[in-house]
Amino acid sequence: MKTLKELLEVKKSLVLVFILMLTISCEDYLKDELLSDISVDFLYSTQEGMEAATVGLYTLNRDIYTNNTLENNALALVPQAKSDLAFGFISGHLSFFARLGWGIDQNSFGTRRLDQFWQHFYRIVDRSNAIIEAAENVQFTDQATKNRLIGEARCFRANSYFTLYRQFNNIFITTEPTTPENAFNKPENKSSEQEIFALLNEDLDFAINNLEWTTNQPGRWTQAAARHLKAKVAMWEGNLVEAGLQADEVINNTNYMLEPTTATVFDGDLNHSESLFVVQFKEDAIGGGSRNQMNFSLMPRYHLNPGVEFSIENGGRGNGTLMLNEYVRDLLQQDPNDNRDDGNYYITTYRYNDVNNLPPGKQVGDPVDRYDESGGTTERNNFYRTMNPGCIKFRQEDGDPTQASMISNIMVYRLAETYLIGAEAYMLTDPGKSLRYLNAIRVRANAAPRTMPVDMQAIMDERARELAFEGQRFYFIKRTGTFFSQIQQFAGNDRSQNQARGRVEPFHDNWPIPIAELNLLGPNYPQNDGYPE
């Protein structure tokens, strides 16, 4: 097996091949022209090439986080914005999504950006299909290596199809990679739910049976991550027994455990025992390293307060694009000992740090005087702009606080969510286990443990406190059938910027298939209900 350093040496050429394969026209596709010393034949006919092609999937997977279709590279935060936890203050961009103006017509600002999600995940599917198919004809040194690479590709395919299904609903699945022979074939209809979930489970079962529990290369798919994803799939199928069994397997594996305190969950590179799948941005990580602006979008402009300048302690540079709304802030304040909002997951208190511009009577380290959120328009707007609590789950602790872009790894799946999946799965059949799983999360946050019984409201609230802005909330409220009611009740803020509550419609829990993509499908391919054809 190639070392990570050796794999990264071929990645630059590999990425060029991937870009060419994914963007050129069919006519150009047929030209016989060697554009790189790493050929397609090398990628899909040798073990070394297959290793490199698999690393390329991790490179492709990162693209959604650095996509600049939206200003501030905020595209990856669209699912977070379409939830009941989000408050967007700045006009346009992500706050536009947070207010759900996107769902009004097919030509709205928001729908024109959703094509990036459709294209991104279908690209990953296509290259995963190529690896899975080609592996059957490649000579490997051992069967375990072959099955590991196929298992990683099948995890990517399952995760991509699962995400597409939860976003767009009317999707089509295929296990064939794009070739000159099938490039112009158009799907005539969506795939059935039975077909989609059959493939998801087939892929994940293979991965579970062939991936190791841990890997010495952080960021790669493991058996634990595959089981976690299978538990999520089972919840969507309504198979609570399977979801509980998969959650148990991960929770009981000694390689994985909750971080002892919330203070360390999002510290450093995130590659610790609670992490199940982390997108790597650090230099020399699998797939390479680059910058993202997730943190920039999730922090307010606190530096506009006199006596305050950018600092890592205050959360780094912020733009105030998308922040916690009153619903989740109130949940965090229900227990004064809950430390998730003490600068561990979220920052609620900003401190004076500009010694040359301190207001009279203030010292460095004092809490910044708060604007009145319940006051007049100016006072309220100043609070939202500069004082609204921010999310620091994407902050780079050793980064330059004045820079919008940071090199920080992105947590996708972690053990805390596995516990909450287990708590929900066992809520009715094993209330004692459900309570233990839920309280494991609360006690770690220094919050008072709950008593019996655990109900869906408790699960919903705890997921909001623990997982806010990690990209799972939209899917959760859609799965539980609470999307419409939660948005109507909680989106935006009570006192202003709550346009989402009046605009949301029940059918908005499915994203519209972008018109440009719909035009590439068969003439009778169905748009999601509620949207114009």
Side-chain angles (χ1 to χ4, degrees), residues 4 36 69 72 75 85 93 113 150 194 220 222 264 291 299 307 318 334-335 343 353 391 427 452 466 476 513 519 529:
L4 181 58
S36 169
T69 302
N72 308 323
L75 187 72
L85 310 182
H93 310 315
R113 298 307 186 264
I150 295 175
Q194 291 79 7
R220 300 195 87 133
T222 63
T264 59
R291 294 179 175 272
M299 290 298 301
Q334 285 179 355
D335 189 327
N353 58 6
C391 175
M427 188 172 59
M452 295 278 258
E466 182 68 23
F476 172 76
I513 300 174
N519 288 339
D529 292 344

Side-chain angles (χ1 to χ4, degrees), residues 6-25:
E6 290 171 324
L7 290 173
L8 291 174
E9 288 176 353
V10 301
K11 182 186 75 82
K12 292 180 181 179
S13 297
L14 168 67
V15 171
L16 175 59
V17 174
F18 271 30
I19 292 172
L20 288 168
M21 293 176 68
L22 295 170
T23 60
I24 58 177
S25 68

Side-chain angles (χ1 to χ4, degrees), residues 16 105 126 171 306 336 357 389 493 515:
L16 175 59
D105 60 67
D126 187 60
I171 68 166
N357 295 290
N493 270 15
I515 193 66

Side-chain angles (χ1 to χ4, degrees), residues 44-45 78 110 118 129 138 169 217 224 236 253 260 270 357 435 474:
Y44 298 114
S45 63
V78 170
W118 181 279
N129 287 343
V138 173
N169 191 58
Q217 296 178 1
W236 274 78
N253 186 277
L270 314 187
N357 295 290
L435 184 64
F474 167 76

Side-chain angles (χ1 to χ4, degrees), residues 120-388:
H120 170 74
F121 288 109
Y122 271 114
R123 286 190 186 108
I124 295 176
V125 165
D126 187 60
R127 292 303 88 205
S128 298
N129 287 343
I131 291 171
I132 295 165
E133 181 177 282
E136 296 304 325
N137 299 312
V138 173
Q139 185 68 40
F140 287 89
T141 56
D142 58 87
Q143 188 69 27
T145 297
K146 173 183 176 179
N147 288 345
R148 175 181 59 80
L149 294 178
I150 295 175
E152 290 182 69
R154 292 184 83 154
C155 277
F156 270 118
R157 183 167 71 184
N159 190 63
S160 296
Y161 273 142
F162 187 45
T163 303
L164 285 165
Y165 171 73
R166 291 178 295 168
Q167 290 173 346
F168 294 101
N169 191 58
N170 287 356
I171 68 166
F172 66 92
I173 60 171
T174 178
T175 58
E176 294 182 0
T178 302
T179 65
E181 291 75 27
N182 66 21
F184 291 110
N185 294 347
K186 293 185 176 183
E188 296 296 330
N189 202 353
K190 65 176 183 177
S191 298
S192 69
E193 288 188 4
Q194 291 79 7
E195 291 171 322
I196 294 169
F197 282 101
L199 181 59
L200 294 180
N201 284 303
E202 181 184 320
D203 280 348
L204 293 173
D205 286 343
F206 183 94
I208 288 168
N209 289 328
N210 290 282
L211 295 180
E212 298 293 334
W213 277 101
T214 61
T215 173
N216 60 4
Q217 296 178 1
R220 300 195 87 133
W221 286 100
T222 63
Q223 183 181 154
R227 288 187 181 276
H228 177 87
L229 185 55
K230 187 171 173 68
K232 291 171 72 71
V233 168
M235 293 300 289
W236 274 78
E237 291 182 288
N239 189 345
L240 301 183
V241 173
E242 180 67 22
L245 290 174
Q246 293 298 336
D248 288 344
E249 288 289 331
V250 181
I251 291 169
N252 294 330
N253 186 277
T254 57
N255 291 295
Y256 296 92
M257 60 187 69
L258 294 174
E259 282 291 285
T261 71
T262 59
T264 59
V265 175
F266 291 96
D267 269 357
D269 62 11
L270 314 187
N271 296 315
H272 46 63
S273 63
E274 184 170 334
S275 304
L276 300 177
F277 189 66
V278 179
V279 178
Q280 306 291 304
F281 279 84
K282 298 289 188 177
E283 295 180 35
D284 296 328
I286 184 169
S290 58
R291 294 179 175 272
N292 65 78
Q293 295 190 0
M294 302 281 280
N295 186 77
F296 179 61
S297 299
L298 296 174
M299 290 298 301
R301 301 179 177 188
Y302 61 83
H303 68 288
L304 298 179
N305 292 294
V308 186
E309 59 185 0
F310 291 124
S311 70
I312 291 297
E313 292 72 22
N314 276 334
R317 183 172 181 175
N319 191 45
T321 315
L322 189 67
M323 293 171 290
L324 302 172
N325 64 13
E326 287 181 317
Y327 167 53
V328 65
R329 283 160 32 207
D330 288 346
L331 287 175
L332 291 165
Q333 293 168 9
Q334 285 179 355
D335 189 327
N337 295 317
D338 192 324
N339 59 29
R340 285 171 282 203
D341 60 348
D342 291 346
N344 296 331
Y345 294 176
Y346 319 105
I347 287 185
T348 56
T349 301
Y350 303 93
R351 299 187 180 278
Y352 292 110
N353 58 6
D354 185 355
V355 66
N356 297 317
N357 295 290
L358 291 171
K362 300 298 181 182
Q363 298 181 3
V364 169
D366 287 346
V368 175
D369 288 337
R370 299 185 71 86
Y371 291 100
D372 185 0
E373 187 184 7
S374 62
T377 300
T378 299
E379 188 82 358
R380 195 165 60 240
N381 286 347
N382 280 336
F383 170 82
Y384 295 147
R385 181 174 59 165
T386 67
M387 301 296 297
N388 199 96

